[in-house]
Amino acid sequence: VREAAVSPDIKRIAFNSRGEIVTVPAEKGDPRQITRAPGANDHSPAWSADGQRLAWFSDADGEYALYVGAQDGSGTPRRYALDGAGYYDTPLFSPDGKRLAYQDNSQSLWVIDLASGKTTKIASEPVYSPLDLMSANWSPDSRWLAYTVQNAGLIQTVHAWSVDGGRSLRLTDGLSEMVEPVF
């Protein structure tokens, strides 16, 4: 087991186990194998706020893509081709379930509109580092995405991206380290 994500109602936990996405009940019930892709790396499970969907990344088709499907494993998950650099992680559903934020291998933050599949690059770290310091969090109304990114002095600053306006505002002055923004 490499990664775990707890459902919003705390009744199930999704795991990345040996490159497959599996959910396990907290108390009674059966495990559910959500993916069945031998030879593929399925990783980074994330729950929608209503607990009805799971998102994950997979290279089942040769290139990494985002998959979103029913948390009970029913139906065929929707595949989204992604812009960005190669490997993806840290998926984060907006509370309304309409968008998902994610990061890529170049330490850039993206948002995908799940209805249209359109991706938007929100920010990039100015200096690549082996440390992944960027973090993000949606506002409760899903209209803002707060995130951290380094400034030229390599100090984490907090910004907020507006879904409606499509642009970011810097919220901190960059004179002191800021991490993990939360609404």
Side-chain angles (χ1 to χ4, degrees):
V1 173
R2 287 185 247 159
E3 301 162 311
V6 179
S7 66
D9 63 5
I10 315 173
K11 292 185 178 178
R12 295 193 78 81
I13 301 172
F15 291 103
N16 165 0
S17 177
R18 298 182 180 262
E20 299 289 351
I21 304 300
V22 177
T23 69
V24 177
E27 291 185 26
K28 297 178 182 175
D30 296 322
R32 298 178 187 144
Q33 187 167 347
I34 304 301
T35 64
R36 296 182 187 279
N41 182 25
D42 301 328
H43 67 92
S44 302
W47 293 86
S48 61
D50 64 5
Q52 297 304 305
R53 295 179 293 162
L54 276 172
W56 65 92
F57 298 106
S58 177
D59 64 353
D61 295 331
E63 294 292 329
Y64 276 104
L66 172 69
Y67 288 80
V68 177
Q71 64 83 19
D72 62 4
S74 65
T76 302
R78 182 168 174 189
R79 180 187 185 278
Y80 296 89
L82 298 174
D83 291 323
Y87 186 82
Y88 306 95
D89 63 7
T90 324
L92 181 64
F93 274 100
S94 60
D96 64 8
K98 295 179 180 179
R99 291 171 189 79
L100 190 134
Y102 64 93
Q103 293 179 38
D104 72 7
N105 201 38
S106 72
Q107 296 179 343
S108 295
L109 178 65
W110 296 80
V111 169
I112 184 168
D113 180 289
L114 296 174
S116 68
K118 179 183 180 242
T119 60
T120 304
K121 188 175 187 177
I122 306 304
S124 292
E125 290 287 8
V127 176
Y128 185 85
S129 164
L131 302 174
D132 184 9
L133 302 174
M134 187 180 279
S135 63
N137 199 331
W138 287 99
S139 64
D141 64 5
S142 301
R143 294 179 57 210
W144 293 91
L145 180 67
Y147 63 92
T148 59
V149 68
Q150 296 178 50
N151 65 16
L154 303 181
I155 294 174
Q156 291 291 108
T157 58
V158 176
H159 299 251
W161 177 73
S162 168
V163 170
D164 298 331
R167 64 185 199 106
S168 291
L169 305 169
R170 189 166 107 177
L171 303 179
T172 60
D173 61 13
L175 297 175
S176 59
E177 190 81 8
M178 301 291 173
V179 296
E180 303 291 332
V182 176
F183 281 90

